[in-house]
Amino acid sequence: MCDATTEPTPPQVLCVDDEKGILRALRRVLLDEDIEVITANSGAEGLECIPEATNLALIISDQRMPEMTGVEFLQQAKTICPTAYRVMLTGYADINATMDAINKGEIWRYITKPWDDEQLVLLVRDAIRQYNLEAENKRLQLIVEKQAQELKDWNERLKQRVLSQTNRIREKHEELAITNKSLRDSFEQTLGTLSGLIELRDNKLRNHARNTAAIAVATAQKLNLSAEQQKNIRAAALLQGIGKLGIPEGIWIKPDKERTESEKIIFASYPVRSQTAIDPIVDLRAAGVIIRHIMERYDGNGYPDQLQGEQIPIGARIISIAGYLDRNISTDNSASLESIIDVCISEEGGHFDLELLPVVADSARSYYSESQPSAPTHSRRELYPEDLRCGMVVLRDVYSGTGLLLLKQGSTLSEDSITALKRFYRTDTPKQPVLVMIKD
């Protein structure tokens, strides 16, 4: 079968003529060429030779042959082996038929009899050259198509791998996000629990750390401090009193003017003790630095390091003011926030950063006005956890049986908070039901 893509053998030239002398002459002329010459005595015999050829580059046929003319033969040869070039040997009498065959694309060239040997050789060489070029182009095209398909398959496999990797990364990211949220929630719960334990030392200052933290964070937001700074300020405000847990109660409850010098030294150690207590926790070390300097004074007369002015971390300066405001609001029911602010300016001016005071005061005003529970628009009821529902608003602080703050008044109940209350009612039962406002 004629196939231009077969691994190349010497180019083959099929010569077809009913005169054996012509065939011998053609073979002689082409003897020195690097080709294989195949001969046939008729068109029918030539058609039988074509399928057996492996690298048929050129067909040379006489026009005048019995039973089948050269044009008829070459027409069929074109169907069997379209890649082979076709040349007709013709006399002047057959020139019209030859030209018609050229116009119809049946033959590539024609040679008149008698031919010029040199011109015939040049024609054969030209045909072989063009045949080889086309065969090489076809071979290269097949290689390109194969490589293109391989590249397409490779890209598809790569795409699938990328999609698979992307899906795995997304799944890992989602798992990590869930884990991080759980860790953050646990961290927040731990801070809240520790803060509640610290405040058990002084019933007069329950919620003091939470109130101070809320005012301090609101102030940090107004000052456009970073999220990391806000986190550290909140943690410092909640845990600032942890060092007090090791101070004897007799020293703790005394007014400062009644403490002896040795008791004052013990009491003044609590900021450093607080820092030391939380320092092993890497995420709390920055908060520990803030706690260490909460008792510094702006004029440099504080402790433990006698820092002054902006040497004191901004978080410590904010918490110092916020804590002073809440402590006095909580212990003196007759004092107004504005009067306490005035005291900060007049009597405690050397203690606080007065440039920060207006911002902290504004945050405190907003916080205390928003933290007051609204008058019930529906109904107030005392309920145990089994009857609580999401959306109900807590109208008074909820404490465990041992005095740990569980929920702050004004809180809106959620599934998590209700579940926590049920757990505490089993393990550390509060002394009364939960007073709630039921909203539509």
Side-chain angles (χ1 to χ4, degrees):
M1 186 84 183
C2 176
D3 186 358
T5 65
T6 305
E7 191 68 24
T9 57
Q12 297 169 317
V13 178
L14 173 61
C15 298
V16 182
D17 199 298
D18 60 329
E19 296 183 27
K20 293 184 179 181
I22 297 294
L23 294 176
R24 285 195 297 272
L26 288 171
R27 186 182 290 277
R28 176 183 55 77
V29 172
L30 301 175
L31 182 63
D32 294 332
E33 301 302 307
D34 186 19
I35 60 175
E36 178 187 351
V37 178
I38 304 170
T39 60
N41 288 116
S42 66
E45 185 180 339
L47 292 176
E48 292 176 359
C49 293
I50 293 174
E52 298 177 0
T54 58
N55 192 23
L56 186 58
L58 177 63
I59 301 173
I60 301 175
S61 174
D62 186 29
Q63 164 60 9
R64 283 183 176 274
M65 293 186 295
E67 298 181 0
M68 183 184 296
T69 66
V71 171
E72 293 171 340
F73 164 68
L74 291 175
Q75 286 176 335
Q76 295 184 51
K78 176 184 177 183
T79 302
I80 299 172
C81 187
T83 58
Y85 284 79
R86 295 169 298 281
V87 174
M88 183 177 290
L89 289 173
T90 182
Y92 285 110
D94 300 316
I95 194 67
N96 290 332
T98 302
M99 296 303 297
D100 186 52
I102 292 175
N103 291 334
K104 292 180 180 179
E106 309 301 341
I107 66 174
W108 174 59
R109 301 277 178 82
Y110 73 93
I111 303 174
T112 59
K113 295 179 180 179
W115 64 78
D116 180 280
D117 288 351
E118 184 177 348
Q119 289 185 352
L120 176 61
V121 170
L122 292 175
L123 182 144
V124 171
R125 290 176 180 174
D126 189 29
I128 296 297
R129 182 174 63 255
Q130 294 197 47
Y131 170 82
N132 287 337
L133 285 174
E134 290 185 2
E136 180 65 11
N137 284 339
K138 186 174 182 180
R139 185 184 71 83
L140 294 176
Q141 181 64 30
L142 290 175
I143 292 174
V144 170
E145 291 174 357
K146 180 181 178 182
Q147 291 176 340
Q149 184 61 45
E150 290 175 351
L151 181 61
K152 180 180 178 182
D153 294 342
W154 187 87
N155 283 335
E156 185 62 29
R157 290 194 298 271
L158 179 61
K159 178 181 177 182
Q160 293 301 321
R161 290 182 63 185
V162 170
L163 288 175
S164 177
Q165 291 287 350
T166 301
N167 288 334
R168 282 198 290 270
I169 291 172
R170 184 174 62 251
E171 290 171 0
K172 292 294 183 183
H173 179 74
E174 291 172 354
E175 292 174 4
L176 183 61
I178 293 172
T179 301
N180 286 338
K181 183 179 184 302
S182 177
L183 289 173
R184 287 194 301 270
D185 292 344
S186 297
F187 185 76
E188 289 298 317
Q189 291 168 6
T190 300
L191 288 181
T193 300
L194 288 174
S195 177
L197 289 172
I198 294 167
E199 290 176 350
L200 289 176
R201 291 294 305 272
D202 191 344
N203 289 334
K204 295 180 180 179
L205 291 176
R206 284 185 174 180
N207 296 330
H208 171 62
R210 289 178 173 83
N211 294 343
T212 301
I215 296 169
V217 170
T219 302
Q221 291 172 346
K222 292 178 184 294
L223 295 172
N224 294 319
L225 299 187
S226 69
E228 183 70 15
Q229 288 176 295
Q230 294 178 35
K231 183 193 77 170
N232 293 332
I233 288 172
R234 181 174 184 274
L238 289 173
L239 301 179
Q240 59 178 301
I242 196 169
K244 299 174 184 177
L245 297 179
I247 297 177
E249 187 173 357
I251 297 175
W252 178 252
I253 62 176
K254 282 185 182 180
D256 186 62
K257 62 184 178 180
E258 296 180 11
R259 296 186 184 113
T260 66
E261 288 302 317
S262 60
E263 288 175 339
K264 289 181 180 180
I265 292 173
I266 294 173
F267 180 80
S269 69
Y270 90 84
V272 176
R273 293 164 63 95
S274 297
Q275 181 189 21
T276 303
I278 65 175
D279 189 71
I281 305 173
V282 175
D283 286 346
L284 291 177
R285 285 178 183 169
V289 174
I290 296 174
I291 292 173
R292 179 185 181 90
H293 299 297
I294 286 176
M295 297 307 294
E296 303 282 3
R297 290 175 56 96
Y298 202 73
D299 58 13
N301 294 320
Y303 55 86
D305 301 319
Q306 291 77 50
L307 301 183
Q308 66 178 9
E310 294 187 1
Q311 292 177 335
I312 305 170
I314 189 170
R317 284 180 272 149
I318 292 172
I319 294 172
S320 177
I321 300 173
Y324 180 88
L325 297 180
D326 184 75
R327 185 165 52 254
N328 284 277
I329 284 286
S330 301
T331 57
D332 188 353
N333 294 328
S334 63
S336 67
L337 177 60
E338 299 306 322
S339 66
I340 296 171
I341 294 171
D342 290 339
V343 172
C344 284
I345 298 172
S346 59
E347 298 182 18
E348 302 288 345
H351 192 155
F352 304 115
D353 181 348
L354 297 183
E355 291 187 5
L356 283 179
L357 177 59
V359 186
V360 181
D362 187 55
S363 298
R365 293 186 188 98
S366 299
Y367 175 73
Y368 291 124
S369 64
E370 292 173 1
S371 64
Q372 297 300 320
S374 303
T377 56
H378 301 291
S379 61
R380 296 159 58 99
R381 296 181 61 184
E382 288 188 329
L383 300 174
Y384 287 98
E386 291 73 15
D387 299 316
L388 297 175
R389 297 293 180 267
C390 294
M392 294 180 177
V393 178
V394 178
L395 296 181
R396 69 180 173 217
D397 293 342
V398 180
Y399 292 94
S400 71
T402 57
L404 180 66
L405 178 65
L406 303 181
L407 275 180
K408 184 180 176 182
Q409 74 173 32
S411 302
T412 300
L413 292 177
S414 64
E415 290 184 7
D416 290 341
S417 60
I418 293 173
T419 300
L421 283 174
K422 290 179 179 178
R423 186 169 62 252
F424 276 106
Y425 267 79
R426 290 194 300 268
T427 60
D428 189 7
T429 308
K431 298 178 180 179
Q432 56 187 348
V434 181
L435 178 63
V436 296
M437 177 179 70
I438 303 174
K439 300 194 299 184
D440 289 335

